[in-house]
Amino acid sequence: MKLFCRDEMQRLEMAAVAAGVPLSQLMENAGQAVAQEVLARCRPVQGKRAVLLCGKGNNGGDGFVCARVLQQKGLQCVVILAQGAPGTELAAAAFSALPEEVDVVAGEAWEEAQALMDQADVLVDCVFGFSFRGEISGVPARLLGYGGGLSCLKISADLPSGVECDTGRVCAGAFRADVTVTFTGKKPANVSYPAKEFCGETVVRSVGVPEALSEGAETRFFETDRTFPASWLNAPDPQANKGDLGKLLLVCGSWGMAGACVMAAKAALRCGVGLLQIVVEERLYPLLAQAVPQAVYVVLDWEKRREESRRALLDALEQCTACVMGCGLGALPERVCPVVFSHCRRPLVADADAVNFLSRHPEYLENVEIPLVLTPHPGEMARLCDDTIPEIQSDRLGAAQQKAKDTGAVVVLKGAATVIAAPDGRCAVNPTGNPGMAKGGSGDVLAGMAGAFLAQGIPAFETGVLAAYLHGWAGDVCAQRYTQRAMLPTDLPEALPQVFRQLL
């Protein structure tokens, strides 16, 4: 599903005007759409009070239209001017069309505005629209912050005020809605945290932009849906052999962390890779060989046969079609990672300890020439970016995009609504998954899945999108089967057959 950024929405609106749809009609339709949502959720309307917080721009104009319609339908409406008098011609025209029965209050009259909000059955936020960036202060911040904390039904027009359209960033004092009626199509902020939490339930309503324009619009962002895996997971050729289905090398696992390697390996196998080879310390080989008998092993001894082990690793890198490194490497990254990052000429997934290695040695991210997929969780991303976790989480879209641009790697920033960013500016937000996946080991499964898709020839960005979507889908299957509390990361690979069956 396309997600429309700020500049893309502005171009769409101008294209609609050029196609014969005046801006005044778009405003009328937007206000009507919000009003219809209020009416649908406030039945019966008799005796109900709607309070509308309206800004001075065209988003405020949408609110004036909404107030007019609601008053005509039987609600008692109050408009609170959060920024003073309307500041655009369109908003002024909509304001002048308000029925006399609609009470209008200045936002500066705080005690009166507060009392009115306290009495509201529904509070409608129409202060800032998709163009908002930066911070809010003064009267708007006071009104929005107070109103967003009330227990009545709260509805935002297009986006909650104080939320940034393109980044999903939420400024202090932003409005917290129960429902957001967004116009024409979803915005990145509707689906990405932290903004998604402030949007509540997002409802998309057409406001008059011709469908052909929105369908033909080029966008940088999208929310993955079920059509995506169907377009990439083709049935194997009837004459395919194991060599045709990819050869994946896992450089994962260490003493005390063998389970990470096992989970990555089982996930890769469940995703259809033809050959799986695992680089493993000699003392771990008996454990892993029993846990993953389908794999073949490159057994190394970095203490006694360091140069021989190095040559064996280089040979394995030469023979594979993709590599996953990092899951459960423990104390080994300083020995293993320089070899792989310096000599790997195949698509590479860097996860966990490999990402942490890169945060200590960023020089290995300079001049990246191979398809590289980084799969950090927020803590690893913070180390990679020399930021704090709150800074990363406050702008997940921006952090992933910037790191992808800076390094040339595809960045899969894990977490609720995982973000997948490509160096060329494309960005996907993943809708699948649940809090039951927030357990150690889930990321190892994702890395193994991504490695399998890379090994089978799927490009790096599409691999990240595909792996995140199917990984979350498997998590949703497990939540239904075991509950979010009881499900385990080791359940995820075993849920993949059901996921693939449902795709057929």
Side-chain angles (χ1 to χ4, degrees):
M1 177 189 294
K2 291 179 180 179
L3 302 173
F4 294 98
C5 292
R6 178 177 181 267
D7 59 343
E8 293 161 352
M9 280 304 306
Q10 291 171 335
R11 286 196 296 269
L12 265 182
E13 289 185 350
M14 292 304 99
V17 170
V21 184
L23 284 175
S24 58
Q25 187 62 55
L26 294 177
M27 178 177 288
E28 177 69 24
N29 294 345
Q32 292 264 5
V34 177
Q36 292 304 317
E37 197 65 30
V38 172
L39 292 170
R41 294 172 183 265
C42 287
R43 290 193 175 98
V45 299
Q46 285 72 24
K48 298 285 179 64
R49 180 188 294 267
V51 174
L52 296 96
L53 303 176
C54 294
K56 65 181 180 180
N58 287 344
N59 197 246
D62 299 340
F64 301 143
V65 172
C66 178
R68 187 194 79 225
V69 174
L70 292 178
Q71 185 74 37
Q72 293 169 346
K73 294 293 185 179
L75 275 80
Q76 177 58 50
C77 289
V78 177
V79 166
I80 298 177
L81 297 177
Q83 295 179 293
T88 70
E89 185 177 341
L90 286 175
F95 181 74
S96 66
L98 284 172
E100 292 183 1
E101 296 82 4
V102 175
D103 295 328
V104 178
V105 176
E108 291 87 347
W110 170 246
E111 291 185 1
E112 183 179 4
Q114 183 184 33
L116 289 167
M117 286 190 285
D118 287 339
Q119 297 165 15
D121 297 291
V122 57
L123 184 63
V124 183
D125 155 39
C126 302
V127 181
F128 302 111
F130 66 78
S131 295
F132 172 82
R133 286 187 290 193
E135 305 296 332
I136 55 176
S137 59
V139 172
R142 193 174 189 185
L143 292 169
L144 291 165
Y146 183 81
L150 295 175
S151 60
C152 64
L153 175 65
K154 300 181 292 294
I155 296 180
S156 284
D158 208 16
L159 284 174
S161 294
V163 162
E164 290 188 359
C165 175
D166 294 3
T167 67
R169 175 181 170 271
V170 175
C171 75
F175 189 80
R176 187 181 290 269
D178 301 308
V179 182
T180 296
V181 181
T182 199
F183 308 137
T184 304
K186 286 184 178 181
K187 319 304 188 291
N190 291 126
V191 300
S192 181
Y193 289 98
K196 183 178 180 179
E197 183 178 351
F198 282 71
C199 292
E201 177 189 352
T202 293
V203 178
V204 180
R205 293 289 180 259
S206 173
V207 295
V209 174
E211 191 172 331
L213 290 178
S214 57
E215 288 183 352
E218 293 186 4
T219 62
R220 305 188 301 275
F221 290 75
F222 67 92
E223 184 181 38
T224 318
D225 58 32
R226 194 173 292 198
T227 64
F228 190 90
S231 66
W232 285 98
L233 295 178
N234 301 318
D237 187 288
Q239 299 184 72
N241 59 55
K242 59 187 178 182
D244 298 325
L245 299 180
K247 184 174 183 179
L248 177 64
L249 178 67
L250 292 186
V251 184
C252 300
S254 62
W255 191 251
M257 295 186 178
C261 182
V262 172
M263 285 183 281
K266 290 187 174 182
L269 290 166
R270 286 296 188 188
C271 288
V273 72
L275 289 165
L276 178 64
Q277 190 171 38
I278 302 176
V279 171
V280 60
E281 289 181 286
E282 188 171 17
R283 57 182 174 171
L284 279 187
Y285 170 68
L287 297 174
L288 291 178
Q290 184 175 9
V292 191
Q294 300 89 345
V296 294
Y297 292 85
V298 179
V299 182
L300 308 181
D301 187 339
W302 290 104
E303 298 297 333
K304 298 178 181 178
R305 300 191 299 274
R306 180 173 299 186
E307 187 56 35
E308 179 184 336
S309 295
R310 183 178 183 277
R311 288 196 303 269
L313 177 55
L314 291 175
D315 288 343
L317 287 170
E318 189 66 30
Q319 296 168 20
C320 69
T321 58
C323 178
V324 174
M325 177 172 66
C327 309
L329 272 185
L332 293 176
E334 297 299 328
R335 290 181 177 175
V336 174
C337 290
V339 178
V340 175
F341 283 127
S342 298
H343 298 280
C344 183
R345 298 295 177 263
R346 305 288 189 263
L348 173 64
V349 177
D351 182 55
D353 291 319
V355 174
N356 289 330
F357 174 86
L358 290 172
S359 69
R360 298 189 298 272
H361 303 280
E363 64 273 15
Y364 286 100
L365 279 173
E366 297 174 3
N367 304 315
V368 172
E369 297 180 355
I370 62 171
L372 175 62
V373 179
L374 305 177
T375 57
H377 60 55
E380 292 160 349
M381 188 69 169
R383 290 188 284 274
L384 196 61
C385 298
D386 195 23
D387 283 330
T388 65
I389 293 176
E391 286 172 330
I392 295 297
Q393 293 293 74
S394 70
D395 186 4
R396 288 171 54 80
L397 288 168
Q401 287 179 287
Q402 190 61 52
K403 184 53 66 173
K405 180 181 178 181
D406 290 346
T407 62
V410 169
V411 176
V412 180
L413 178 53
K414 296 181 289 194
T418 290
V419 175
I420 306 94
D424 61 8
R426 290 177 295 163
C427 193
V429 181
N430 183 59
T432 60
N434 61 80
M437 301 173 71
K439 296 167 184 172
S442 293
D444 303 313
V445 174
L446 176 66
M449 294 174 67
F453 296 137
L454 276 184
Q456 293 170 71
I458 297 176
F461 176 69
E462 287 75 10
T463 279
V465 176
L466 185 61
Y469 186 81
L470 297 178
H471 180 251
W473 189 351
D476 292 336
V477 169
C478 290
Q480 290 181 338
R481 187 179 296 171
Y482 303 113
T483 74
Q484 292 182 14
R485 184 176 298 277
M487 62 185 284
L488 298 173
T490 47
D491 298 324
L492 296 171
E494 306 313 312
L496 286 171
Q498 180 176 335
V499 169
F500 291 127
R501 193 179 303 115
Q502 291 176 356
L503 280 174
L504 295 178

